[in-house]
Amino acid sequence: QEGGAKLGFFDRDGHRVADIASCLLLAPALNTLLSLCRARLQSFGQPLPGLRHIVLQQNEDGGALGMVWIVEKDDAAYDRLAASFFRACPQLGYLALNINPKATLDAVYSEHWRLLGGQGIVYWLGDLRFDLSPGSFVQVNHYQMQALYAQVLDYAALQGTETVVDLYAGVGTISLHLARAAAQVLAVEEVAPAALDGRRNAARNGICNVEVF
């Protein structure tokens, strides 16, 4: 934007970026990555065509980080910028472009991806391992996620004979927990990378009664 890069959230009217230096709701590792984004964007020295959104992600303890840039069009400048991020941040497990020419105000992913480096990050939830590829979603608060899933299991009161349908299943975090108490889980997810992660995560954890659609 005019006057330099602004990083933050949309303000109340949804059309202007409220510039922030840090966010009290973000984990420390993500605030550090936010600061790195600001420094790299301000010092890069050339325009970045159509950079609209930056999506940050971390694993359960902040030891692995991921980042997605949602852009209106692809450009070689992003490769050069990505290289500087990987040099500066060894915890960065992936950096990917999502090309969405619609330029929406919301951080909406299109089907067009390009990986700039890394493959993904590993997320542990109890004794279950989840591999997250770029664009895959998990709850932002690790501790509240554990409490939420315990509540889901309590409300479900499964007896081991049920077939459970998990809609918007993501990478399978709820599905795999439910599968331990149900006869079968049908996990439904429309985002292709997340659905693929869900299948891989079920197999990796040795859980055979989950089917992902």
Side-chain angles (χ1 to χ4, degrees):
Q1 296 190 9
E2 185 177 351
K6 290 186 176 181
L7 290 176
F9 300 99
F10 283 116
D11 64 10
R12 187 171 298 177
D13 67 18
H15 295 279
R16 292 175 298 180
V17 174
D19 201 26
I20 62 169
S22 64
C23 175
L24 294 176
L25 297 179
L26 285 181
L30 293 184
N31 270 315
T32 299
L33 186 55
L34 177 66
S35 297
L36 178 63
C37 287
R38 183 184 306 278
R40 285 287 180 260
L41 289 174
Q42 291 176 344
S43 65
F44 187 57
Q46 69 178 99
L48 292 168
L51 176 59
R52 299 285 296 180
H53 301 277
I54 298 175
V55 181
L56 308 179
Q57 188 176 54
Q58 72 165 55
N59 69 346
E60 74 284 353
D61 63 2
L65 305 172
M67 185 161 45
V68 176
W69 297 334
I70 302 178
V71 302
E72 293 178 36
K73 61 180 180 179
D74 203 347
D75 192 276
Y78 291 113
D79 295 271
R80 295 189 288 275
L81 182 61
S84 74
F85 271 89
F86 280 104
R87 288 192 298 269
C89 185
Q91 304 102 307
L92 195 58
Y94 72 79
L95 204 166
L97 279 185
N98 183 264
I99 300 97
N100 186 349
K102 294 182 180 179
T104 60
L105 291 176
D106 296 322
V108 176
Y109 293 138
S110 74
E111 297 179 356
H112 306 291
W113 290 87
R114 186 162 73 84
L115 193 64
L116 296 174
Q119 295 295 324
I121 62 177
V122 174
Y123 194 108
W124 285 93
L125 191 56
D127 62 343
L128 293 174
R129 168 181 166 154
F130 297 90
D131 284 12
L132 308 180
S133 61
S136 293
F137 170 82
V138 292
Q139 299 291 333
V140 296
N141 188 313
H142 173 71
Y143 302 102
Q144 285 293 79
M145 176 165 51
Q146 294 178 92
L148 173 66
Y149 291 0
Q151 193 68 69
V152 168
L153 285 168
D154 184 54
Y155 284 157
L158 298 171
Q159 302 300 309
T161 60
E162 300 89 351
T163 295
V164 179
V165 179
D166 180 13
L167 302 179
Y168 310 101
V171 300
T173 49
I174 292 181
S175 298
L176 268 59
H177 280 81
L178 291 169
R180 289 175 158 177
Q184 184 182 26
V185 175
L186 307 179
V188 181
E189 173 55 51
E190 69 172 343
V191 178
L196 181 59
D197 282 346
R199 295 186 185 95
R200 290 172 174 168
N201 289 331
R204 186 172 289 109
N205 287 285
I207 296 177
C208 303
N209 60 334
V210 174
E211 190 170 357
V212 181
F213 297 90

